[in-house]
Amino acid sequence: MTAPLFCTRITELFGIDHPILGGGLMWLSDARYVAALVNAGCMGFVTPRSFADDTAFAAALVQCRELTRGRPFGVNLTLSKRPEANTAVRRWMEIALAHGVRHFETAGYAPGELIGTLHAAGAVVIHKAPGLRHALAAERAGADAVALVGMEEGGHPGANELPTMLLGALAAEQLRVPVVLAGGIGHGRQLAAVLAQGLDGVLIGSRFLVAEEIATHPAYKRHLLDCDEQSTVRLLHTLGNTWRVLRNETALEVEAIERAGAADHTAFGALIDGRQTRDHCYAQGDWQRGMVSLGPAIAFARRIEPLAAIVAELLAQARASLARLPSLVSPASEPA
């Protein structure tokens, strides 16, 4: 593990070595990935929605505890606007708490009650927000920290149309709790820029997709190495469900249907069913099938390697970038 280089409020809050959190990758945020993050000195979050049932989710928590040798790890709890869809969230929370988890990432609609329940159990909560208004609301609701997501994020960045770095500059002025930035971040110089703004860290997803510990087909990972910053496309914005994905055959079909004036999600049929990605792209390596969540930070991926090596490179890049700053500041002029 790389020695700690940066101490921020987020490293202190989570008790981690580095100000880097891993994205809760749908279908992929399993025990091996999360444990790799934790063992590299970062924080990761197991995603309950990635598992077939509660038994599989609980088994993943046990496995993660074994792989991290007892070091703390997190769980993601995402709330829906539809109350009936949140029944499972409380169940997942109770399972996680029963297995000793005390670090949580919340996301979605009105997290106040959930945050209160988690605090009562002695847990620490970071809320992922798709805009400054939502981040401020989460702070008022009691979130211990906020992950602020820019429009560059792979997956679902919300209706926000503002870039990550702009949101960060605004957040530094308005939020009191620790703030990490997410969306399009995959190089250490971006981590350096975030820290130079006075913020507390970054949340990274797409850049980690080429880690050896990510459970996807080798053919898909090899394709990711050929991707650049133009390899993703933002879709379904007109339906209020923005989704940034790999530019593939499925994405082009969805784009055509959306441009034709689709009024609701039924117009897309099975094209936007996430299981298409799980079963064809992730399991079989057919990267042309499915809406494959991906952000432009994949352009920084150069090789398939252990996650710890990716983290070490990010930190070395950040350190090199920050070392330049003192030489850029003009000496104060002598008083007359």
Side-chain angles (χ1 to χ4, degrees), residues 5-28:
L5 296 174
F6 310 111
C7 179
T8 73
R9 292 182 298 171
I10 208 69
T11 62
E12 293 176 350
L13 181 67
F14 284 122
I16 54 181
D17 295 325
H18 312 305
I20 299 173
L21 312 183
L25 310 171
M26 184 60 181
W27 307 120
L28 304 177

Side-chain angles (χ1 to χ4, degrees), residues 10 12-16 34 38 43-46 57 61 64-65 68 70-77 90-106 114-127 142-145:
I10 208 69
E12 293 176 350
L13 181 67
F14 284 122
I16 54 181
V34 171
V38 171
M43 177 54 65
F45 304 93
V46 177
F57 170 50
L61 298 181
C64 198
R65 182 72 65 196
T68 61
R71 295 186 69 179
F73 61 91
V75 163
N76 167 280
L77 298 173
R90 176 166 288 277
R91 197 170 66 247
W92 293 330
M93 176 192 68
E94 292 172 350
I95 292 171
L97 290 171
H99 281 79
V101 176
R102 292 298 182 272
H103 296 78
F104 289 86
E105 175 192 62
T106 59
L114 180 60
I115 291 172
T117 303
L118 290 170
H119 279 169
V124 172
V125 183
I126 183 169
H127 183 75
D144 300 293

Side-chain angles (χ1 to χ4, degrees), residues 8 34 37 72 125 200 208 221 225 249:
T8 73
V34 171
L37 282 163
V125 183
D200 301 280
F208 289 144
K221 288 187 183 179
L225 298 179
E249 291 177 0

Side-chain angles (χ1 to χ4, degrees), residues 227-277:
C227 290
D228 61 19
E229 70 278 8
Q230 302 297 329
S231 296
T232 72
V233 60
R234 200 169 63 135
L235 301 173
L236 303 184
H237 192 64
T238 58
L239 275 65
N241 186 32
T242 305
W243 197 348
R244 185 178 288 279
V245 297
L246 172 68
R247 192 185 295 274
N248 63 4
E249 291 177 0
T250 299
L252 294 177
E253 288 184 63
V254 169
E255 184 177 39
I257 295 170
E258 185 175 11
R259 284 182 174 176
D264 55 51
H265 291 82
T266 59
F268 301 93
L271 287 172
I272 61 174
D273 187 332
R275 290 171 294 186
Q276 295 287 319
T277 299

Side-chain angles (χ1 to χ4, degrees), residues 5-6 18-20 165 181 184-197 200-204 207-208 297 299-303 305 309-325:
L5 296 174
F6 310 111
H18 312 305
I20 299 173
M165 293 304 289
L181 292 189
I185 296 175
H187 196 285
R189 66 173 64 98
Q190 294 169 296
L191 170 58
V194 169
L195 297 178
Q197 286 197 65
D200 301 280
V202 295
L203 186 149
I204 293 175
R207 177 64 184 88
F208 289 144
F300 295 115
R302 298 288 184 268
R303 66 193 71 84
E305 58 189 335
I310 299 175
V311 170
E313 182 178 38
L314 289 167
L315 293 169
Q317 292 165 342
R319 180 171 56 185
S321 294
L322 288 172
R324 295 182 62 243
L325 294 183

